[in-house]
Structure formats: C-alpha cells, structure tokens
C-alpha cells in the first residue's frame, strides 16, 4: 500500500479518480493499492516564542534564536493567545493513520517551494522515516497526472528545494518575530508588525507617496502647428518648452507671421515589435490589475481555481517559456481554442506549421513553464474566471504569432530657428497585434508617445504651410501612486532601483518576494492597516506612514538586502550555497535590526484615561486596533475600525464620556455603500448607529 499526500481535497479526488481509489474514508480515499489524503495547506508551522518557554515582548529575551526550531500544528488566534486549530489536529491524525498503514509515500503537494515545505514539515513533525517519491506536474489534467506517475522522482532530488523553503520560513520567523517585538517594546506595547519582505514593500509604497505628495507642479508652454499636405491633416509640436507664457505668445505671433515651415530632417525606420511571451504569475496579475481592476490576490485565487478545475496549468510560475518537449502539444491547444467561436477570428491569422517558437527555451524554464490553457474545454466559469482564462488563451495565441512590423516616421521642421517635430507610425504587418486587433497599446510599446498616424511623403527642403498655431498650456506631473500592477513591477524589479550601478547590474533581474508570495505580502499590508486601496491606487495609512518613518533608515527597510536574499535562496535551492551560512547571516542581521529598533524613541499618542463603561472599575486599554477592559471577567471590547473608518481618540473620548461620537463620515456598508452616522453607546454597553438626517 502506498500513501499519497496532496495539498487540497480537490486535488486528492482528481488523483484518486485516475488511480481507481474510490473508497471514501474519514479524511482520505483508498483503493487499488493506494491511500490518498490531503494537507489542507500549512498544517504545521514554526512554533511561537511561548513554545520555547520564552515570554513574548520582553526586552531581555531579544533577539530570540530557536535552536532547533520547533514544529507545531497550525494555531488560531484567540483572545487569550494562540490555540491549536482543531481541524488541523484532526487532519494530522488522519495523515498519521494513512502513513502508518502504508509502506511508502508519494508527495503530491503543489510542485513548488511552499508545496515542498508543507509536506516536509508534516513528515518531520510526525517523525516519519518512510521512503517517499515526488509527483512533479504542471497541470491537473488526466494526461499530466498519468505522465507524472510514470516519471515519479526520488524524494531527495528535491532536498535543495526544501532547504530553500525551510531557510525562507526560518528567516521570516527570525526577522518578523524579533523586529515586531522590538518595535512594539520601543512603542510601549502598541503593536507594530514588521517583516523581511513586508517592510521593504511598505517602504516602496511610502517612498512613492512622498514623491507624489512633495512634487511641485510647474506650468510650461509648447506651440503646436497645424499643416495639410496631399489632402492629409497633421500637427507638429515645438521641441522647446517655455516657462513664461508671455515669451511663448510672442514666439507664437512671430511664427504666425512667418506662415511657413521648412523640412529639415526626415527619418523613416522600420520597427520590429516582438510578440509577447507567455504569462508568468506576476505578469498575469499586473495585466489583470490594469485591464480588469482585479487585485493580485484575486488573480491568484482565480488562477488557482482554474488550475484545480484543470482548465490551465500551474499558476504559481515565475517563467514565461516552455521546454522543447512541450512544443509538440501546442498545436492541439490551438485546435481546442478553434472550437470556440470567440477565438476563431484570432486563430485565422495564425499559420499552422509556421508558429513562432520564441517561447521555447529550456534554460529559462524554472520549476514550472509559462502559463498555458489545457486540453480541457472550460465550462461553468464565473465571469472573473472566464476573463482570466481568456487572457491566458489570447496571450498564447499572441506568443505564437510573428512580429508586428511598423514604419515609424519622424520629421524635423524649422520656422526660422525654432524646431518642431512631426511623428507618425503605420502598420506594415500586423503580426501578433492582429490576434486581438489592438494595433496601438501604450503598455506594450517602447514609445509611450507613439501615435498610429499615417503621414504624407516628405523630403528635405519641402515647404509646409502653417494653417493654424496653438499655444498649449501643460503642467509637469508627479510620479503616479502605485497601482497593484505598478507595485508588482517594482517588487519584481527591485534590483533595478539600486543607486550603485554595480549593485544594480548584479541584481537587475532579482526582485523581492516571489511570484507565489507577492500577492500575500500586499494583502498582509492591507490587513495590518498599513495601506488602503483608493480606487485603483495604494495609499499608506497614518499607521503605515508612522511605521515607515520609524524604520526608513534602518536595515529592516533595506530593499537591496531583501533582493540579495532572494538570490541566496535561489542558490540554496540549486545546491550552490549552504543553508547554515545563509542562516548565520540572517542571525547577524536580526541581532543588528533588533538593537536598532529597541533604541528607537517613539512618541506616544495622547491617550486619555477612560473608565470601562461595563464594569466601571478599570481604566480601558486603548490600542491601534482595539479598546478593551483589562479585566478578563468583564471582557468589554470595542474595535476601533468600524465600517472601514478608524475611530479617532476624540471620538472614543466622546463615546465613553458623552455616549455619542461626532458624525462619522464615509463609512462603508458590507455592500460597499457609503454612509454617515453617529456611534452611540447604549445602557448595556453595546454600540449602535444613529443615522444623520440625510441617511
């Protein structure tokens, strides 16, 4: 009998169906020589300080360096601390039973760093020593699973992957636990959460926010001329920009009197615009955020759902390429899309037997290849699932198309000694742009100002009549606040932001976080109330800005160091770096940041002394997230964030002294509707809304 451990019940069912294991048991399936169970994600985690007998948030205990780390079942946060998750304990017991009745194990958790860690932590926690093999697949189709079982690999072939995952897990624990406790102690127990990747990401958002806020807009003026030649209307724009309107107006009048311009230079170039590569997860998240307004986490969850329904390949990929041996399967994917009326027009522009092979590159395929659809025709999709599936399908068709060829024309003309420029572009061969019929897409073109405008023929010395002049008033624009797409790009290309050119070169293709974790990092910052979404952009909250100002000059916010660690983790996975060496560096770093953070002086919010409205005996504890009575028997509590609005100290004081806050504006109901209301304290110490006249 062989045990198979999947990551989720849905995956376990797919495998069981294929292997003929149809007998349902409590927490697993069996039959045909197999017992198939599942992990429910991270069932095992690294123990908290109290698991080592260390009291948390005590200065003398820091930094905390567990040796060795303790593994514990997943815990849930309760009012009195953390308690083991009953469902995790139950499933762990099931896995133990399954393993005990089997001679060996097949690992079928997700084929990646986190999937490997999920299994290995369970394996070590249960003190198992049975041999195991690895099922490594990029799709949950029957064919892919069958091929995976035919090519099971020895478990120890993935020791490097496990060591990298373990190093990442332990490094995040050391930095997160010690930094969070150190800053919280420095802040007199007002809880601040810091992290190895989370804090540098917050720094990116706050830096951009301040660049945007502190930007001084400046007016400037340009002159635009209108022309007509060979029955074609077009405009030219002055190369010079003027700060003084009066000066620009004088030059405009002079040019009007001249009435003619002379062609000084003609430049016509043919530009080959390469077809895009396949999506990796980050690129899919960026595109879906731009085009559909979806968050990175929504895209990941939707893609995961499509994967588990067998409609697309493994989504947590960092590659945009496929291996050579997969190329033969691509025509079949195109034929399947051709059965749908939606894709027929796009596919008619492709030539079977003459597909572009740019996506084939064995060297650039990482743990998984670029995102592909599968041979299973999609059905019963939600609107979001369909939108994401269509994006992946269209991107495949675009990648198989050939280059788009454009003719780009730049004409330089002169009026006296003032220079103007005419720009035009026309498509010679649509290539991949014919797939969706989008012939000009600023997000994909190198020239953001390119306009698809066909121009008449020019030659040097031609005279052009000026039919009209126009003075354009323009304003310099600040750097845009990050959208999630922009932030993902900044995280992906963090190495390129280094000021030192040598360091920039070394880290040019290294980011912070991984494709699989970036969405969760953004969600963590949102859940910590460090950032909020406003329309499509990410804004730091007052709390986020406070944390950033405290740590911006400290090593915990150093983007370069975080990017360098991603290189180190990659080297551990490849067996090029010893995990112990990496962890020694992390410990030294943790010691340094703990010392830095403990030395901070954090001015406290002016918190009033207010009595508990329920027991009337104790002074309330007022924190960033909650207001509570210190008496556990009383247990009165009020969350400060109500309907997405943070209660101010002024309103808390009014509520507890006069039983009613001021009118709180722009609260949001569960369905997203905004409303204004007072919060009123009732006689039984509960709170209710009292609506203003307009609500």
């Amino acid at each position: 009998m062989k045990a198979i451990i999947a990551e989720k019940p849905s995956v376990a069912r797919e495998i069981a169906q294929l292997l003929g294991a149809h007998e349902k048991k409590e927490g697993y399936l069996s039959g045909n020589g197999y017992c198939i169970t599942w992990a429910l994600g991270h069932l095992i985690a690294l123990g908290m300080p109290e698991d080592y007998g260390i009291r948390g948030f005590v200065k003398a205990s820091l930094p905390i360096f567990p040796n060795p780390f303790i593994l514990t079942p997943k815990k849930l946060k309760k009012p009195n601390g953390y308690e083991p998750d009953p469902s995790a304990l139950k499933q762990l017991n099931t896995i133990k039973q399954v393993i005990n009745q089997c001679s060996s194990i097949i690992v079928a958790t997700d084929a990646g760093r986190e999937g490997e860690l999920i299994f290995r932590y369970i394996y070590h926690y249960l003190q198992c020593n049975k041999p195991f093999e690895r099922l490594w697949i990029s799709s949950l189709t029957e064919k892919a699973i069958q091929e995976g079982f035919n090519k099971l690999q020895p478990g120890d072939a993935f020791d490097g992957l496990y060591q990298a995952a373990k190093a990442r897990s332990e490094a995040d624990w050391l930095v997160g636990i010690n930094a969070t406790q150190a800053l919280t102690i420095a802040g007199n127990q007002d809880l601040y959460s810091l992290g190895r990747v989370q804090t540098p990401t917050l720094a990116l958002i706050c830096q951009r926010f301040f660049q945007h806020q502190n930007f001084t807009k400046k007016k400037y003026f340009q002159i635009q001329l209108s022309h007509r030649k060979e029955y074609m209307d077009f405009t030219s724009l002055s190369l010079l920009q003027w700060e003084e309107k009066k000066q620009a107006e004088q030059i405009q009048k002079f040019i009007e009197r001249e009435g003619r311009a002379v062609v000084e230079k003609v430049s016509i170039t043919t530009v080959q615009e390469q077809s895009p590569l396949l999506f990796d997860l980050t690129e899919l998240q960026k595109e879906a955020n731009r085009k559909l307004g979806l968050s990175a986490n929504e895209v990941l969850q939707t893609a995961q759902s499509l994967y588990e329904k067998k409609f697309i390949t493994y989504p947590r990929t960092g590659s945009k390429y496929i291996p050579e041996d997969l190329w033969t399967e691509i025509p079949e994917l195109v034929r399947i899309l051709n059965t749908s009326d939606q894709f027929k027009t796009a596919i008619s522009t492709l030539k079977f037997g003459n597909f572009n092979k740019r996506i084939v590159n064995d060297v650039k395929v990482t743990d998984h290849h670029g995102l592909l659809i599968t041979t299973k025709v999609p059905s019963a999709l939600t609107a979001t699932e369909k939108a994401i599936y269509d994006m992946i399908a269209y991107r495949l068709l675009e990648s198989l198309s050939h280059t788009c060829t454009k003719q780009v024309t730049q004409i330089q003309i002169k009026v006296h000694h003032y220079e103007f420029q005419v720009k035009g572009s026309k498509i010679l061969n649509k290539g991949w742009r014919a797939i969706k019929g989008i012939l000009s897409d600023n997000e994909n073109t190198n020239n953001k100002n390119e306009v698809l405008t066909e121009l008449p023929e020019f030659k040097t010395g031609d005279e052009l009549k000026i039919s009209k002049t126009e003075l354009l008033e323009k304003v310099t624009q600040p750097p845009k606040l990050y959208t999630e797409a922009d932030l993902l790009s900044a995280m992906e290309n963090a190495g390129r932001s280094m000021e030192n050119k040598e360091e920039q070169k070394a880290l040019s293709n290294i980011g912070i976080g991984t494709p699989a974790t970036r969405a969760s990092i953004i969600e963590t910052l949102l859940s910590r109330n460090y950032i909020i979404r406003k329309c499509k952009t990410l804004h730091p909250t007052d709390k986020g800005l406070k944390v950033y100002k405290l740590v911006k000059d400290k090593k915990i916010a150093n983007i370069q160091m975080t990017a360098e660690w991603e290189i180190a983790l990659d080297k551990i996975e490849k067996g090029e770096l010893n995990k112990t060496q990496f962890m020694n560096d992390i410990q030294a770093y943790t010691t340094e940041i703990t010392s830095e953070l403990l030395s901070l002086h954090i001015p406290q919010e002016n918190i009033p002394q207010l009595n508990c409205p329920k027991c009337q005996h104790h002074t309330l504890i007022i924190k960033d997230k909650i207001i509570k009575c210190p008496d556990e028997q009383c247990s009165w509590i009020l969350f400060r964030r109500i309907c997405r609005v943070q209660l101010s100290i002024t309103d808390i004081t009014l509520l507890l002294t006069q039983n009613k806050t001021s009118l709180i504006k722009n609260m949001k109901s569960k369905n997203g509707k905004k409303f204004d209301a007072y919060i009123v304290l009732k006689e039984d110490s509960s709170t209710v809304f009292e609506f203003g006249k307009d609500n």
Side-chain angles (χ1 to χ4, degrees), residues 215-465:
F215 185 85
T216 304
K217 289 185 176 183
K218 290 182 179 177
K219 278 187 184 179
Y220 68 95
F221 300 88
Q222 282 181 288
I223 298 171
Q224 182 176 279
L225 309 179
S226 297
H227 313 277
R228 184 173 176 83
K229 186 176 191 286
E230 296 171 11
Y231 305 104
M232 296 175 85
D233 294 311
F234 56 95
T235 59
S236 60
L237 188 66
S238 62
L239 293 180
L240 279 178
Q241 299 173 359
W242 294 274
E243 291 181 14
E244 297 294 329
K245 186 176 183 179
K246 200 169 184 180
Q247 184 188 10
E249 285 174 337
Q250 288 173 347
I251 294 164
Q252 182 188 10
K253 285 175 184 174
F254 170 76
I255 288 169
E256 281 177 349
R257 287 197 299 271
E258 285 287 316
R260 290 185 178 276
V262 178
V263 176
E264 189 179 51
K265 188 178 178 183
V266 179
S267 169
I268 300 173
T269 54
T270 301
V271 176
Q272 301 284 344
E273 197 177 56
Q274 289 280 10
S275 57
L277 295 165
L278 298 173
F279 283 124
D280 63 3
L281 176 59
T282 302
E283 196 63 32
L284 179 68
Q285 288 169 320
K286 283 155 56 176
E287 190 82 353
N289 181 250
R290 290 190 197 108
K291 300 285 176 67
L292 306 173
L294 297 174
S295 72
N297 193 53
E298 285 172 326
V299 178
L300 175 57
Q301 298 309 318
T302 304
Q304 183 69 23
S305 172
L306 287 168
Y307 168 67
E308 289 174 17
K309 291 176 179 178
K310 302 189 282 187
F311 298 138
I312 66 168
T313 57
Y314 187 67
R316 289 174 167 82
T317 176
S319 177
K320 299 177 182 180
Y321 296 87
I322 62 168
E324 181 72 46
D325 61 9
L326 198 58
W327 178 248
T328 54
E329 297 180 26
I330 297 299
E332 181 60 22
L333 299 182
V334 178
R335 275 191 280 272
I336 283 162
L337 287 177
N338 205 27
T339 61
S340 165
D341 289 341
Q342 178 183 350
F343 297 103
K344 280 185 176 177
T345 303
I347 291 170
S348 68
T349 68
L350 287 171
K351 291 179 182 175
F352 278 82
N354 188 30
F355 290 165
N356 186 351
K357 281 190 77 172
R358 185 168 174 247
I359 57 173
V360 178
N361 191 323
D362 286 325
V363 176
K364 292 189 177 180
V365 174
T366 51
D367 291 342
H368 295 278
H369 55 69
L371 265 165
L372 292 170
I373 60 163
T374 66
T375 52
K376 186 177 180 183
V377 177
S379 59
L381 297 183
T382 66
T384 306
E385 284 174 339
K386 185 178 185 320
I388 295 296
Y389 179 88
D390 288 352
M391 285 179 74
I392 295 166
Y394 276 119
R395 178 54 68 94
L396 168 63
L397 298 177
E398 286 177 336
S399 74
L400 298 175
S401 305
H402 290 275
T403 55
C404 169
T405 308
K406 294 180 180 178
Q407 182 179 283
V408 178
T409 304
Q410 287 195 46
I411 313 295
Q412 204 160 297
I413 65 174
K414 258 190 177 182
V415 183
H416 200 49
H417 63 275
Y418 297 108
E419 293 182 330
F420 290 76
Q421 194 171 60
V422 183
K423 287 184 177 181
S425 175
K426 71 174 180 179
I427 301 283
L428 301 178
N429 184 355
K430 291 179 183 177
W432 65 273
R433 286 198 174 275
I435 294 296
K436 288 193 285 189
I438 300 172
L439 302 182
S440 181
D441 184 345
N442 286 344
E443 289 162 4
N444 292 325
T445 55
N446 293 324
N447 183 359
K448 302 290 181 190
N449 298 315
E450 180 187 327
V451 180
L452 284 171
T453 309
E454 200 164 334
L455 294 171
E457 285 189 14
F458 293 94
K459 62 179 185 294
T460 307
D462 279 354
E463 277 198 355
L464 290 176
K465 189 179 177 184

Side-chain angles (χ1 to χ4, degrees), residues 36 75 149 151 262 268 298 344 367 372 413 460 488 502 506 533 572 591 625 680:
I36 304 162
K75 294 180 179 179
F149 272 98
K151 297 176 184 175
V262 178
I268 300 173
E298 285 172 326
K344 280 185 176 177
D367 291 342
L372 292 170
I413 65 174
T460 307
L488 288 166
E502 286 301 311
R533 292 188 182 99
I572 292 170
T591 302
K625 287 189 176 180
V680 176

